Amino acid sequence: MPVTGKGILTSFRIAGIDIEIDYSWAVIFLLVLFGLAAGYFPLVIPGYNWIEYWIVGLTATVLFFASIVIHELSHAMMANSYGHRVNRITLFIFGGMAHLSAEPQKATEELLIASVGPLTSFVLGVFFWAIPHVFDLSSWRLWSETFTYLGIINIALAVFNLLPGFPLDGGRILRAFFWWQSGDVVAATARAGRWATGVVYGLIILGGLEILGGALLGGIWLILIAMFLRSASAASVQNVTVERILGAAQVRDIMVREPQVVRAEESLADVVENYFLKFGYAGFPVMRDGRVVGLISLAQVQQCPPEARATRRVENVMRGLDDSVTIAPGATVLEALHKMAEAETGRLLVMDGDRLAGLITRSGVARFLQIKSRLEMPVELTGTNNG
Ligand SMILES: [Zn+2]
């Protein structure tokens, strides 16, 4: 799910995986803490003083969020066992999220990565719930109640995550099933996305009923979760479709053949005047004696102060010809995009051996997707987030 905020409050590392805590998480932490220490525990077990309620409240809140981290860690470790290199988990206002570096490659892989989370929460729930049943905590009622609460909340977490609303775990399990049935991950994702819409409406209705029943905060919360799920689902469905289209298209299909080039020995001032401003492109291949020797883009020109541009030449500031800025015509467009992101550039030289075959640009990829989506994406995708 590509829905992280950039504001990270703090982070730490468990088993080689970075656990990031988003600022928004503080809101839910305080809500849960306050709800437990000042609401739930005094109501369920009256007669203690407020310090004790805050101590158990804080313990229960910390263990609750530790349970969420363990849930996400289980996804991450299962994904890692398939070689996905999940190295980041984010805790944010709606819970936790393990960042998969790529979508699962097979239905069974998806099934296992998705199911291990709810299974882990269920096992944790039984574990916490069993503590006061195994040990005699009758003189420690506050603690016995804390473990019972943690047991119930973990089982509730397992059940909620099993809702068939992609990209919730249950929705992923459902998609794995459709995928296994049809062999078509894009169609399976679109189908799972439609189920998610049903779950979203269900949660909104439930939230509305809670509000009517007097549980204002709980109702609003459910509706907020529904809205989050709706956008996460639309984004996931779109991502999968886009990845599939870009993974199937080849660089040679969408590259610019015979792109406008500049000469290595020209001055930056001339290049700005006669190429950047004239053609409106943000970058050009650089040639010397009929051979390509590099790539120049606005970013490199900007680094040179305007008064020095008359004397500096293109070859002084260009990115030289190396692996990071070139790609083969037969590579997929998706590979090209990954490479552009890594090289922090908006274009790559398409090289057929040592001959310049063309230029592929990020805006060219965007145009290709736009046309493709108008012509053949399922209707429900063109309606969302397409601006
Ligand atoms: Zn999960």
Side-chain angles (χ1 to χ4, degrees):
M1 286 193 275
V3 200
T4 40
K6 284 203 166 46
I8 299 302
L9 183 65
T10 178
S11 69
F12 51 95
R13 187 173 265 246
I14 298 177
I17 295 168
D18 286 323
I19 318 285
E20 296 177 341
I21 297 183
D22 187 272
Y23 275 107
S24 69
W25 173 82
V27 175
I28 187 68
F29 183 90
L30 291 176
L31 272 178
V32 172
L33 173 60
F34 195 77
L36 287 177
Y40 180 79
F41 285 125
L43 190 78
V44 178
I45 343 145
Y48 290 83
N49 72 45
W50 65 273
I51 299 179
E52 289 171 293
Y53 287 129
W54 280 92
I55 291 173
V56 289
L58 187 64
T59 313
T61 308
V62 168
L63 286 176
F64 170 42
F65 285 104
S67 302
I68 292 179
V69 170
I70 295 171
H71 174 114
E72 297 303 328
L73 272 174
S74 74
H75 285 306
M77 284 170 165
M78 184 61 86
N80 280 340
S81 77
Y82 284 102
H84 280 305
R85 292 181 296 116
V86 178
N87 43 25
R88 202 155 56 91
I89 287 170
T90 307
L91 284 184
F92 69 124
I93 192 161
F94 294 117
M97 167 163 72
H99 301 270
L100 267 66
S101 55
E103 288 286 328
Q105 295 304 306
K106 284 205 309 244
T108 46
E109 196 177 304
E110 163 119 89
L111 178 69
L112 289 173
I113 296 173
S115 344
V116 70
L119 186 69
T120 302
S121 291
F122 184 76
V123 170
L124 272 175
V126 171
F127 168 77
F128 281 123
W129 180 82
I131 292 176
H133 290 82
V134 173
F135 302 101
D136 179 21
L137 296 180
S138 49
S139 51
W140 300 73
R141 278 213 55 210
L142 268 180
W143 291 104
S144 129
E145 199 53 49
T146 302
F147 290 123
T148 305
Y149 165 81
L150 285 166
I152 293 168
I153 202 82
N154 268 292
I155 288 170
L157 212 60
V159 170
F160 176 77
N161 276 289
L162 280 172
L163 288 178
F166 183 82
L168 288 178
D169 298 334
R172 288 190 167 272
I173 293 170
L174 190 70
R175 175 173 81 155
F177 176 71
F178 293 150
W179 186 359
W180 169 79
Q181 234 182 5
S182 66
D184 179 349
V185 66
V186 176
T189 308
R191 234 176 123 184
R194 286 194 286 275
W195 278 70
T197 309
V199 170
V200 166
Y201 287 128
L203 288 175
I204 290 175
I205 291 170
L206 213 63
L209 290 176
E210 277 206 18
I211 291 173
L212 290 178
L216 183 66
L217 203 62
I220 291 176
W221 191 245
L222 268 183
I223 291 172
L224 286 178
I225 287 187
M227 303 310 284
F228 169 71
L229 181 60
R230 181 171 168 272
S231 70
S233 166
S236 302
V237 171
Q238 200 163 24
N239 269 354
V240 170
T241 314
V242 164
E243 274 202 13
R244 221 8 93 112
I245 290 173
L246 297 183
Q250 288 190 334
V251 168
R252 66 161 61 85
D253 301 331
I254 70 164
M255 69 184 184
V256 180
R257 286 158 202 275
E258 297 173 24
Q260 182 63 49
V261 299
V262 301
R263 286 182 299 117
E265 52 278 9
E266 279 186 89
S267 77
L268 287 184
D270 285 347
V271 164
V272 167
E273 188 67 28
N274 299 329
Y275 293 90
F276 283 103
L277 291 174
K278 188 167 159 201
F279 293 99
Y281 301 141
F284 300 90
V286 181
M287 309 289 280
R288 185 192 292 128
D289 305 329
R291 295 169 62 95
V292 61
V293 291
L295 184 64
I296 184 157
S297 53
L298 271 182
Q300 279 102 47
V301 179
Q302 277 168 331
Q303 278 164 14
C304 180
E307 61 276 12
R309 285 178 195 159
T311 51
R312 305 286 310 261
R313 295 158 167 233
V314 170
E315 57 198 348
N316 302 134
V317 301
M318 69 178 189
R319 286 178 90 135
L321 187 65
D322 68 36
D323 238 24
S324 65
V325 292
T326 61
I327 192 144
T332 68
V333 176
L334 191 61
E335 286 169 322
L337 275 185
H338 284 311
K339 213 161 181 185
M340 286 183 214
E342 258 170 50
E344 293 178 1
T345 173
R347 67 213 66 244
L348 295 173
L349 301 163
V350 183
M351 299 297 291
D352 195 0
D354 54 6
R355 193 182 64 87
L356 178 68
L359 187 71
I360 182 167
T361 65
R362 198 177 275 145
S363 50
V365 175
R367 271 197 305 279
F368 166 74
L369 265 181
Q370 220 171 25
I371 292 168
K372 197 88 173 161
S373 73
R374 287 200 180 165
L375 295 177
E376 51 191 74
M377 268 198 208
V379 177
E380 68 263 31
L381 288 179
T382 52
T384 53
N385 295 351
N386 249 358

